Amino acid sequence: MTLPAIYANRSSPLYDERRNPAHQPPVLVDLDFSGTDPNIPRDQQIDMNLKIMYREMISAAKKTELFLGQPYRAGDEPDPGAGSFENVPHGTVHFWTGDPRQPNGEDMGNFYSSARDPVFFAHHGNVDRLWRVWRGLRPGNTDFADPDWLDAAFLFYDEDARPVRVRVRDCLDTAALRYTYQDVGLPWINARPAQTSAGTPAPAAGSLPATLDKTVRVTVTRPRVSRTRKEKDEEEEVLVVEGIEIAEHFNRFVKFDVLVNEPESGVDATSAAATMYCAGSIAHTPHMIRHDKEKEKGPVKTVARFGVCDLMDDIGADGDKTVVVSLVPRCGGELVTVRGVSIGYVK
């Protein structure tokens, strides 16, 4: 859970000066990083990281589109909805690694500059490894079979600098590509948050659409309740945060948590993302855009989806016809507008 020491050697070509100096090894990574380092014991940080990994890899990602994201075809609006792993820990590790002394969080902390840091390759190699791990967690965890995805193609350069077109389907079998990942333990695989007495949920306060300059709580109706285990396995209950807009001047990291039936007594902000109430987080890595002054770019528009079957069981809400969803800003919330929250189902 630290930046590998090989990347911190100043005499190595893998070293990058534009990293957060406070996050060098042996400092533990914070997978819930929101711009401020939590002042918590080491064991608590490890426990939080494991619980977040469990949620993003298992409980919130039981269906392919929940883990890998929504379809994106020619003519669609950008950002139709990332998979669970894209926001956290992918986005948070980017921001955690970038240098806050730089104007735009360079290198890893900004989309345009992140690949200048050699650790970018390792970070994305790990994302690919965890995709492989996810496929082995249960029989239903498979890649998309949609030919629009399988035949999507990208151009790369070969060893002679000639362009080569590569399809997605050509890259799915690591054995065919003659590489494999080291088998390592999965300490997060049993890190499901413990079920505790949930208590009285905080009351709904506010309505949507709303700007997340403060916590917004809304009541959401559940179309189906008290479903059987078989029904839950066949169709995952999904919490949908719709109409997310990040303002045009969005060269800042933006993050907010989505909690369900957060207790009236509240939860500790430093550990909220690792509790049983947390459906997930939206973490948007800054994208510095140099656009034509005469053609201003509009806001980022996206949707977030979280599998919540396990969450509803854990908080004792399986039979509840309504739940209270809290949208809790952690960083840059004043730049974010949310237009709706609903519940749907994915087979």
Side-chain angles (χ1 to χ4, degrees), residues 12-33:
S12 169
L14 299 180
Y15 182 77
D16 184 8
E17 292 182 350
R18 290 178 293 277
R19 293 186 190 133
N20 193 324
H23 294 165
Q24 300 304 301
V27 176
L28 289 174
V29 67
D30 175 13
L31 298 185
D32 186 45
F33 188 60

Side-chain angles (χ1 to χ4, degrees), residues 105-239:
E106 289 90 347
D107 281 328
M108 276 281 283
N110 203 297
F111 183 83
Y112 91 95
S113 59
S114 57
R116 294 176 180 171
D117 188 336
V119 83
F120 174 89
F121 181 83
H123 180 43
H124 283 263
N126 192 38
V127 170
D128 184 67
R129 179 187 72 88
L130 287 164
W131 179 358
R132 176 176 176 270
V133 168
W134 177 83
R135 286 188 296 187
L137 291 177
R138 60 170 65 87
N141 288 8
T142 60
D143 292 323
F144 292 115
D146 190 330
D148 280 356
W149 184 73
L150 292 170
D151 293 327
F154 303 86
L155 285 172
F156 296 90
Y157 290 103
D158 69 8
E159 65 275 16
D160 296 318
R162 295 175 300 193
V164 177
R165 190 176 299 277
V166 180
R167 298 173 302 172
V168 168
R169 69 167 69 244
D170 301 326
C171 304
L172 299 178
D173 183 358
T174 59
L177 297 173
R178 293 180 294 185
Y179 76 90
T180 189
Y181 290 107
Q182 180 183 4
D183 286 327
V184 295
L186 304 176
W188 43 263
I189 201 161
N190 294 312
R192 183 172 179 169
Q195 298 182 29
T196 59
S197 177
T200 305
S207 59
L208 298 176
T211 300
L212 300 189
D213 52 356
K214 59 183 179 299
T215 296
V216 176
R217 295 187 179 91
V218 294
T219 300
V220 179
T221 300
R222 299 175 65 213
R224 307 178 205 167
V225 300
S226 302
R227 295 189 300 149
T228 66
R229 184 71 262 169
K230 182 174 183 292
E231 288 173 326
K232 292 177 182 179
D233 289 341
E234 290 176 351
E235 284 190 298
E236 176 70 10
E237 186 170 357
V238 179
L239 180 62

Side-chain angles (χ1 to χ4, degrees), residues 313-335:
D313 289 340
D314 290 346
I315 67 174
D318 184 49
D320 294 352
K321 294 182 179 180
T322 62
V323 292
V324 175
V325 175
S326 300
L327 307 176
V328 186
R330 300 300 184 194
C331 188
E334 69 278 6
L335 302 176

Side-chain angles (χ1 to χ4, degrees), residues 227-267:
R227 295 189 300 149
T228 66
R229 184 71 262 169
K230 182 174 183 292
E231 288 173 326
K232 292 177 182 179
D233 289 341
E234 290 176 351
E235 284 190 298
E236 176 70 10
E237 186 170 357
V238 179
L239 180 62
V240 184
V241 184
E242 304 166 293
I244 301 170
E245 293 190 5
I246 303 173
E248 188 273 326
H249 299 290
F250 57 91
N251 195 32
R252 285 177 53 194
F253 183 74
V254 169
K255 181 174 178 291
F256 64 94
D257 296 338
V258 181
L259 307 180
V260 180
N261 280 5
E262 176 190 7
E264 198 166 21
S265 57
V267 293

Side-chain angles (χ1 to χ4, degrees), residues 6-85:
I6 192 172
Y7 291 94
N9 181 354
R10 288 180 174 271
S11 63
S12 169
L14 299 180
Y15 182 77
D16 184 8
E17 292 182 350
R18 290 178 293 277
R19 293 186 190 133
N20 193 324
H23 294 165
Q24 300 304 301
V27 176
L28 289 174
V29 67
D30 175 13
L31 298 185
D32 186 45
F33 188 60
S34 301
T36 304
D37 292 317
N39 184 22
I40 59 176
R42 184 179 179 88
D43 287 350
Q44 184 180 345
Q45 182 68 71
I46 291 172
D47 183 65
M48 283 178 54
N49 285 345
L50 294 178
K51 285 182 168 63
I52 288 169
M53 284 294 297
Y54 178 91
R55 183 186 69 225
E56 304 301 338
M57 292 291 295
I58 298 179
S59 62
K62 292 182 180 178
K63 303 298 180 182
T64 302
E65 67 185 63
L66 294 176
F67 184 73
L68 288 176
Q70 298 296 302
Y72 178 42
R73 296 179 172 87
D76 287 352
E77 288 292 320
D79 300 304
S84 61
F85 208 74

